[in-house]
Amino acid sequence: MPSGTVMKNTHQDWRTSTPSTLCVLLYVFLGSLSVVTICGNLLVIISIIYFKQLHTPTNSLILSLAVADLLVGVVLFPFSMEFSISSCVFSENLLCKIRESFDITLCPASILNLCCISIDRYYAVCHPLTYRTKINVHVVVIMIMVSWSVSLLLTIGLAMAGLHQDKCQEECSIDLQLAIILGLLCSFYLPVILMLCIYLKIFLVAQRQVRSIQGTKSGATASKMERKATKTLATVMGVFLMCWTPFCLCFSFQLLNHVLSWLARSNSMLNPFIYAFFYSWFRSAFRMIISRKIFQEFLQP
């Protein structure tokens, strides 16, 4: 009997032997993650779009990040929820390949948007006098387009490598592994190294600024606001590292990918709550949206 048939039969036996209660609990838990991810990122998106006070370069990058995280919750979570329970054997199913394509596109897009946010914070804290000229609307649009374009190129590249492997079977396995390694380098390791270097530089500059402006009240207030914004976004990165590092390290060694991939995706759920925790104006915007006060002006005659 072919090995694929054995694996398929084993997979079917596993599904039929799984208690229905366990399946229900898994669906409820993973479905709850999806709902929380969608609602949290929708709050961020509506807040930034609706409130003019939030129309800033930094928040434009946060908006792009929230869109990527929202798509993770809308598209990727349902696919992954189904396959986490029913399992994709060697990605033979078309839906499995669709899920992988979304995974390869959306997760790097989220990571690269975080990288762009760290660059924005670098200029805001380290070069405050030239920040508005360096980081303007056009630059932010370019950064967002580059983030999404690189993610799409990674998806296309890995898809082509996979199709090439299907044609030549085992002889192309090395090419596919190299493509995966390069994908990890471009979408995780290099952005992480860049962000760590940037935030370390920001920390050192912020410490010098604190010592130099202690005597000026206005300068201290402005510096405090920038440090708070940087602290918030550094926390976003810290949570990102906590969620993604185990998966990427283990993926590099082919260990525990399936379980740890859910921890990685949970980063998209946690980001909106970090904004709400640190930013008072995001909390106010969220309260207005949840209480439906923003719709009252449209309902008034």
Side-chain angles (χ1 to χ4, degrees):
M1 182 181 294
S3 59
T5 305
V6 175
M7 288 296 296
K8 185 175 180 181
N9 291 339
T10 304
H11 169 52
Q12 290 175 344
D13 293 341
W14 177 83
R15 289 187 64 183
T16 54
S17 63
T18 302
S20 58
T21 304
L22 178 60
C23 289
V24 170
L25 290 175
L26 283 172
Y27 271 116
V28 170
F29 174 71
L30 299 177
S32 300
L33 290 182
S34 179
V35 171
V36 173
T37 301
I38 293 169
C39 292
N41 285 288
L42 270 178
L43 286 174
V44 174
I45 293 170
I46 295 172
S47 297
I48 294 175
I49 292 176
Y50 182 81
F51 296 100
K52 293 182 179 179
Q53 303 94 313
L54 302 182
H55 292 179
T56 65
T58 302
N59 287 339
S60 297
L61 294 170
I62 292 176
L63 176 63
S64 178
L65 173 64
V67 169
D69 291 340
L70 175 67
L71 291 174
V72 170
V74 172
V75 180
L76 193 55
F77 270 36
F79 276 118
S80 299
M81 180 173 64
E82 172 63 24
F83 298 135
S84 290
I85 295 173
S86 63
S87 180
C88 274
V89 180
F90 296 125
S91 301
E92 293 174 352
N93 192 292
L94 176 62
L95 291 178
C96 294
K97 294 183 178 180
I98 294 174
R99 189 281 307 268
E100 289 173 356
S101 297
F102 280 116
D103 209 345
I104 296 169
T105 302
L106 296 177
C107 294
S110 181
I111 295 169
L112 293 174
N113 275 296
L114 281 172
C115 192
C116 291
I117 290 172
S118 68
I119 295 172
D120 169 83
R121 289 295 86 205
Y122 170 78
Y123 280 101
V125 175
C126 300
H127 302 282
L129 297 179
T130 59
Y131 170 67
R132 294 189 181 278
T133 57
K134 294 284 187 181
I135 307 296
N136 52 43
V137 175
H138 298 293
V139 172
V140 168
V141 170
I142 292 173
M143 293 169 75
I144 293 172
M145 290 180 63
V146 168
S147 299
W148 287 94
S149 298
V150 170
S151 301
L152 289 172
L153 288 174
L154 284 172
T155 305
I156 295 171
L158 288 174
M160 291 179 64
L163 290 173
H164 189 50
Q165 186 192 29
D166 292 339
K167 294 178 181 178
C168 61
Q169 298 300 326
E170 296 179 358
E171 297 176 4
C172 297
S173 60
I174 296 177
D175 293 339
L176 183 60
Q177 290 298 321
L178 286 174
I180 293 173
I181 292 171
L182 288 174
L184 276 173
L185 283 173
C186 295
S187 64
F188 181 76
Y189 290 111
L190 291 180
V192 164
I193 293 171
L194 178 62
M195 285 188 283
L196 288 173
C197 292
I198 287 174
Y199 279 114
L200 177 60
K201 175 68 174 178
I202 290 173
F203 175 77
L204 296 175
V205 171
Q207 292 299 309
R208 290 200 300 268
Q209 289 177 350
V210 170
R211 291 192 294 267
S212 63
I213 63 174
Q214 286 178 343
T216 60
K217 183 176 180 181
S218 59
T221 301
S223 178
K224 182 179 179 181
M225 292 175 62
E226 290 296 348
R227 289 199 307 273
K228 182 178 180 181
T230 302
K231 182 180 179 181
T232 301
L233 297 170
T235 303
V236 172
M237 181 194 166
V239 173
F240 150 75
L241 287 175
M242 180 188 71
C243 294
W244 275 100
T245 301
F247 167 69
C248 288
L249 289 177
C250 289
F251 187 83
S252 302
F253 298 101
Q254 298 295 311
L255 296 173
L256 301 176
N257 289 342
H258 195 60
V259 175
L260 292 177
S261 65
W262 273 101
L263 177 61
R265 296 185 190 103
S266 68
N267 176 238
S268 296
M269 176 189 69
L270 296 172
N271 284 338
F273 295 96
I274 298 172
Y275 304 137
F277 181 78
F278 281 97
Y279 286 134
S280 60
W281 29 269
F282 262 125
R283 290 197 298 271
S284 300
F286 289 174
R287 283 195 294 268
M288 291 187 67
I289 294 170
I290 293 172
S291 63
R292 294 178 292 179
K293 289 183 179 179
I294 64 172
F295 302 110
Q296 290 179 1
E297 61 180 83
F298 298 107
L299 298 176
Q300 291 176 355

